[in-house]
Amino acid sequence: MVIELTIELLHMIWELTVEAGHIIFEWVEISLDTVIELMFETDLHNTQIIVFYIIMTAIGFGVYRLSLFVPGIFRRIRDKTVAFYLGQKNYLSLYWKSLTLTHKLKWGALAIGLGYWYLFIFF
């Protein structure tokens, strides 16, 4: 029940966010329509074309700025992931080297047993 309520809460927050974004977009569009229509004294079709290109320019500029920002984030995430992987690999390698032969055989038997169980259950 807690999981269902949490999912419903997140769904409601998502819907409200999308609805607020739509209302803000419509407000910006209507404001631009009014300003363009009053400044340039154009008809409805020409006003809509001008507003469309203004909005597309703003979105394009936002995407351009985001394209400059995102690769650095992905590079940092990749570097941290590689560092974490290498650290875990070194830790497990040192742990394996420190085990006695008996413990290594136990881990091997456990791995073979889990592999057999996985194949039996899922295939």
Side-chain angles (χ1 to χ4, degrees):
M1 184 143 186
V2 172
I3 293 173
E4 184 178 340
L5 288 174
T6 305
I7 290 172
E8 285 299 320
L9 178 67
L10 291 173
H11 180 71
M12 184 181 70
I13 290 171
W14 172 254
E15 281 185 1
L16 290 174
T17 304
V18 169
E19 190 65 31
H22 181 257
I23 289 170
I24 290 170
F25 175 78
E26 288 295 329
W27 180 77
V28 167
E29 186 179 17
I30 290 171
S31 298
L32 281 173
D33 277 344
T34 304
V35 168
I36 297 298
E37 204 169 328
L38 292 175
M39 280 181 64
F40 299 114
E41 298 177 4
T42 59
D43 61 342
L44 179 64
H45 181 69
N46 290 336
T47 301
Q48 288 176 342
I49 291 173
I50 293 169
V51 168
F52 171 77
Y53 283 116
I54 289 173
I55 290 174
M56 286 288 102
T57 303
I59 290 172
F61 180 72
V63 168
Y64 169 71
R65 294 293 294 181
L66 194 62
S67 72
L68 295 177
F69 183 67
V70 168
I73 292 174
F74 282 132
R75 193 174 308 113
R76 281 192 292 276
I77 290 172
R78 185 196 65 208
D79 292 344
K80 287 183 181 185
T81 304
V82 168
F84 176 76
Y85 168 74
L86 291 176
Q88 290 298 310
K89 186 174 139 184
N90 287 336
Y91 169 76
L92 290 174
S93 175
L94 290 174
Y95 175 70
W96 182 258
K97 288 179 184 177
S98 71
L99 289 177
T100 62
L101 181 61
T102 309
H103 284 93
K104 287 180 182 179
L105 290 173
K106 286 180 185 178
W107 275 109
L110 179 67
I112 291 171
L114 286 174
Y116 176 73
W117 176 79
Y118 177 79
L119 291 174
F120 182 74
I121 296 295
F122 294 109
F123 291 107

